[in-house]
Amino acid sequence: MSMATKNDYLLVVEDVPDILVLLVETLKFKGYRVMTATNGEEALEVIQKGLPKLIITDILMPKMDGFNLVHRLRLNPATRNIPVIFLSATYVAPEDKEFALTIGVTRYIEKPVNLDEFFPLIEELLSVGKYEAKPLNELDFYEGYKKRLETKLRHKNTQITRDQHLFETLDDSQKMAIKASMQTAIREKEEIQKLLDHIREQIESLTKDK
């Protein structure tokens, strides 16, 4: 474990309580000091009090998601070179991963997390320390971000339509599981739509200023 002082810590950013608890307890068991946040805004507040050695963050979160969090970190010289691991079950397409690396994410892991790969990766990143990262300009970031959100929204709409058709064919004993899946997909769709509306406003504002 490569934590130089007692004040060094890992920051875990995750909005799903069960996943957050699992990650935190597992990391603490391995001897790491861990701080937590449930979205990007909370993460920035934690970081203002002291820089983490490593950030482990989900992508799809309320208020400020992982993409926006990393962009904010890379714009700030004080936080630009903190290594960041993305964890995601939603953004798993090759284009999602490519965009993540473009904006300055250090490593990308799909959920569910394989702990046998996760811990060696943490050790590797901590042993290297700071990473050289260059921020994207605002317009390039938001244009790329918009494309990822539009694609994800299409996928969510397709998933919801498919689940609705399937729901109608099932008997009552089978409907509970698919209903839970539909509710999760609808909630994620609404969050993506909110983000997309915000991003379009940002792009409009930036292009007007030119």
Side-chain angles (χ1 to χ4, degrees):
M1 184 179 66
S2 304
M3 303 287 275
T5 74
K6 66 178 183 179
N7 292 323
D8 288 342
Y9 73 96
L10 309 183
L11 176 59
V12 178
V13 192
E14 170 63 65
D15 66 317
V16 179
D18 290 348
I19 297 176
L20 181 61
V21 170
L22 176 62
L23 287 171
V24 169
E25 293 305 314
T26 305
L27 289 166
K28 285 183 176 179
F29 180 76
K30 287 289 187 177
Y32 295 107
R33 180 170 177 258
V34 183
M35 302 288 284
T36 66
T38 59
N39 59 64
E41 288 184 2
E42 287 185 11
L44 292 178
E45 291 174 3
V46 174
I47 292 167
Q48 285 180 347
K49 300 172 184 176
L51 300 181
K53 301 297 288 184
L54 172 68
I55 298 170
I56 301 162
T57 180
D58 188 23
I59 300 178
L60 186 59
M61 299 179 290
K63 295 186 178 180
M64 182 187 291
D65 73 350
F67 287 131
N68 215 334
L69 171 61
V70 171
H71 183 56
R72 297 296 143 213
L73 293 172
R74 297 320 184 212
L75 287 175
N76 183 348
T79 59
R80 181 169 297 162
N81 297 321
I82 298 172
V84 177
I85 298 175
F86 259 1
L87 305 179
S88 184
T90 303
Y91 290 91
V92 295
E95 296 84 0
D96 297 328
K97 297 177 182 180
E98 181 180 353
F99 180 61
L101 296 174
T102 299
I103 66 173
V105 172
T106 316
R107 294 288 191 277
Y108 195 111
I109 297 178
E110 292 185 24
K111 295 177 181 177
V113 176
N114 182 334
L115 295 179
D116 290 336
E117 298 176 1
F118 185 51
F119 289 120
L121 175 59
I122 290 173
E123 279 298 298
E124 174 193 336
L125 297 183
L126 290 175
S127 66
V128 173
K130 292 184 177 180
Y131 280 73
E132 293 295 328
K134 295 181 180 179
L136 283 181
N137 68 59
E138 291 284 86
L139 186 57
D140 286 346
F141 168 70
Y142 284 123
E143 289 285 6
Y145 196 9
K146 180 170 73 75
K147 289 178 183 177
R148 305 296 355 112
L149 291 171
E150 288 172 340
T151 299
K152 202 56 56 182
L153 188 62
R154 287 195 298 271
H155 290 169
K156 284 298 171 187
N157 284 329
T158 300
Q159 178 187 346
I160 291 166
T161 300
R162 184 185 65 237
D163 286 351
Q164 287 172 335
H165 288 316
L166 179 60
F167 185 80
E168 294 169 359
T169 69
L170 300 174
D171 58 42
D172 290 342
S173 64
Q174 297 174 308
K175 283 183 176 180
M176 288 301 294
I178 197 70
K179 185 176 181 180
S181 173
M182 284 171 55
Q183 289 173 337
T184 298
I186 290 169
R187 187 169 59 250
E188 290 179 345
K189 171 195 168 183
E190 291 171 349
E191 190 63 43
I192 292 168
Q193 185 64 64
K194 286 180 185 177
L195 281 168
L196 187 54
D197 291 342
H198 173 70
I199 296 311
R200 286 169 174 160
E201 290 175 1
Q202 293 294 321
I203 291 173
E204 183 178 354
S205 175
L206 288 168
T207 51
K208 278 183 178 178
D209 292 341
K210 286 195 168 184

